[in-house]
Amino acid sequence: MACRKLGSDIFCVGAIDWDRRLFDELIPLPQGTSYNAYLIKGSEKTALLDTVDPSKKAELLENLDRLGVKTIDYLVAHHAEQDHSGSIPTILERFPEARLVTNPKCKPMLVDLLHVPEVKFQTINDGDELSLGHRTLQFILTPWVHWPETMSTYLKEEGILFSCDFFGSHLAASELLVADPALVINGAKRYFAEIMMPFRTAIKGNLEKIKNLNIRMIAPSHGPVHDKPEFIVNAYREWTSDAVKNQVVIPFVSMHGSTRRMVDHLVEGLMERGIQVEPFNLTVADVGELAMSLVDAATVVIATPTVLAGAHPSAAYAAFLTNALRPKVRFASLIGSYGWGGKTLEQIKGLLGNLQAEILEPVLVKGDPSDEDLEKLNRLADLILAKHKEQKLC
Ligand code: FEO
């Protein structure tokens, strides 16, 4: 893969991973991803910002060879996760003169994860600057995007913010700059939903921290570079805000159709009341899509049959994931069918302990839903509408 030019003596020397379909053995990547490492040449020094996933280290070395890079003075590590740090040992071996520049939180993580010798490090703090000659790197700590040690680098003279995961998108694209804004924003929202949503308060703080910089471009470590930075910054402002929308998300699973009939009835009832609703059949759903829906929704309703005396494992997984992602939903409920009894309600409630949500009266029915049971679902739809109206969402 050829390296791509971002500016005069600034290159993206990372790798595009067209085929990768799963990250952290959890997150679906329907459109692949990229690991963006950036080479910046100054009049006196050369810096490499991040590396690539170890599976792509040969491409990184090849890109550096193609540019004729003989010396790297500074290797900046923004984040210790291995998709960016994993090739640091390879780079330090090829360029033994390089100082590994990072912050005091990231340093021990790199030692633990990659066994980098202490002697290689140069530690910087928030706001510190490093001169490359006619160019200056300024380091800005932007923690909890999604690990505690993450930082960004602001190339002052060019107005480029190298933001690592922050503002990134899992999207393999041949264009270095954003070519299709809708596609990139979708990928960025998916990425935000999957790993950053639990830390939205910290991310809000990071947005405040960079707001006075004169940013001309944002160059993340995944996906295209934003040459219209206000587009992605405004999207992040919306995602991290406290505002929710007139939306209901229904992750569901049904074994013999009873719970499915309840879901269909509730979906129709919500639609009739002017509420946007997104049902996710958990047997086929992309959990990334589910996570994205949870970014904005006011209400989540989990729908599950009772099996083995409790919630269906797929529904328990959806509840566990929802709880881990800590969406800003205001209301939650549970619907489903059971044969003879069980602990479904207690289990699901127990799994949603992180949510700051009011629990609306669940509708659990015995067997196939009767007319009376369907009427209970109508009342749940009425209640959701009333709650959304109270919140001035409709
Ligand atoms: Fe792209 Fe948190 O690593």
Side-chain angles (χ1 to χ4, degrees):
M1 179 60 57
C3 51
R4 298 175 290 175
K5 188 169 181 173
L6 184 58
S8 171
D9 282 335
I10 306 172
F11 302 91
C12 182
V13 291
I16 301 173
D17 202 337
W18 301 98
D19 303 329
R20 190 161 180 178
R21 287 294 176 268
L22 200 59
F23 196 84
D24 289 347
E25 304 304 325
L26 170 69
I27 298 169
L29 303 181
Q31 292 168 306
T33 190
S34 66
Y35 320 107
N36 303 340
Y38 299 94
L39 186 85
I40 304 173
K41 293 182 180 174
S43 55
E44 294 171 14
K45 306 279 188 188
T46 296
L48 176 63
L49 308 189
D50 290 320
T51 67
V52 296
D53 188 89
S55 62
K56 296 288 181 185
K57 66 185 176 190
E59 284 189 33
L60 172 61
L61 291 175
E62 194 180 317
N63 286 339
L64 294 172
D65 284 345
R66 284 181 186 184
L67 288 172
V69 177
K70 300 286 183 244
T71 301
I72 290 176
D73 300 284
Y74 302 116
L75 170 54
V76 176
H78 289 124
H79 177 27
E81 193 168 14
Q82 290 91 329
D83 53 324
H84 311 294
S85 71
S87 299
I88 284 175
T90 301
I91 292 294
L92 292 178
E93 196 176 316
R94 171 73 73 89
F95 301 94
E97 71 286 353
R99 307 288 298 148
L100 181 54
V101 178
T102 195
N103 64 71
K105 275 208 174 114
C106 191
K107 177 181 167 182
M109 296 173 93
L110 293 174
V111 171
D112 290 342
L113 293 170
L114 303 167
H115 307 295
V116 178
E118 291 263 347
V119 69
K120 292 287 184 185
F121 285 93
Q122 178 168 330
T123 307
I124 53 83
N125 290 300
D126 197 23
D128 283 358
E129 295 185 357
L130 197 56
S131 174
L132 304 181
H134 76 306
R135 283 179 158 147
T136 315
L137 306 181
Q138 183 181 42
F139 303 106
I140 301 165
L141 301 192
T142 44
W144 289 113
V145 186
H146 54 130
W147 285 19
E149 86 307 4
T150 313
M151 67 179 198
S152 302
T153 296
Y154 181 54
L155 182 59
K156 290 176 77 172
E157 292 78 5
E158 314 287 336
I160 304 176
L161 183 74
F162 297 91
S163 58
C164 200
D165 284 344
F166 197 18
F167 303 120
S169 54
H170 281 306
L171 176 62
S174 57
E175 303 88 354
L176 182 56
L177 302 182
V178 171
D180 181 340
L183 190 65
V184 174
I185 217 74
N186 193 61
K189 186 174 187 180
R190 171 184 278 271
Y191 196 33
F192 172 86
E194 288 164 335
I195 66 166
M196 300 178 205
M197 185 154 56
F199 310 109
R200 69 183 180 92
T201 305
I203 293 171
K204 244 191 232 184
N206 292 336
L207 290 172
E208 275 303 297
K209 210 164 172 184
I210 63 163
K211 80 173 182 194
N212 292 325
L213 298 177
N214 186 20
I215 297 173
R216 194 172 57 81
M217 280 191 201
I218 294 179
S221 293
H222 297 289
V225 171
H226 304 278
D227 55 341
K228 296 184 178 65
E230 65 284 353
F231 189 59
I232 187 70
V233 170
N234 288 339
Y236 262 70
R237 288 215 174 96
E238 184 184 331
W239 301 335
T240 57
S241 77
D242 294 331
V244 289
K245 294 183 178 166
N246 184 29
Q247 294 172 357
V248 177
V249 176
I250 308 180
F252 75 92
V253 58
S254 183
M255 286 157 48
H256 298 288
S258 301
T259 298
R260 177 71 199 238
R261 276 188 280 285
M262 295 177 73
V263 169
D264 288 346
H265 190 83
L266 183 60
V267 166
E268 200 175 313
L270 293 168
M271 288 169 64
E272 283 169 1
R273 287 160 179 78
I275 298 171
Q276 188 185 337
V277 56
E278 289 189 84
F280 286 91
N281 181 341
L282 294 166
T283 62
V284 294
D286 170 336
V287 293
E289 299 280 341
L290 171 60
M292 284 168 77
S293 292
L294 290 168
V295 171
D296 303 311
T299 299
V300 60
V301 177
I302 292 178
T304 178
T306 292
V307 57
L308 304 172
H312 190 288
S314 296
Y317 172 70
F320 183 88
L321 184 67
T322 300
N323 192 57
L325 294 174
R326 297 171 185 252
K328 54 192 175 188
V329 290
R330 307 262 169 87
F331 309 102
S333 192
L334 174 73
I335 64 172
S337 165
Y338 62 92
W340 55 89
K343 301 271 186 199
T344 300
L345 178 59
E346 293 86 340
Q347 280 183 349
I348 295 290
K349 266 188 176 174
L351 287 169
L352 294 177
N354 284 340
L355 300 191
Q356 308 282 309
E358 178 185 344
I359 303 292
L360 306 180
E361 183 67 28
V363 181
L364 294 176
V365 311
K366 194 161 189 289
D368 197 47
S370 63
D371 287 349
E372 195 180 318
D373 296 326
L374 297 179
E375 190 50 41
K376 287 180 188 166
L377 291 171
N378 292 342
R379 289 202 289 276
L380 177 59
D382 281 338
L383 182 58
I384 291 171
L385 178 64
K387 293 289 180 184
H388 284 202
K389 279 186 173 165
E390 271 174 31
Q391 301 280 326
K392 303 192 188 323
L393 304 178
C394 52

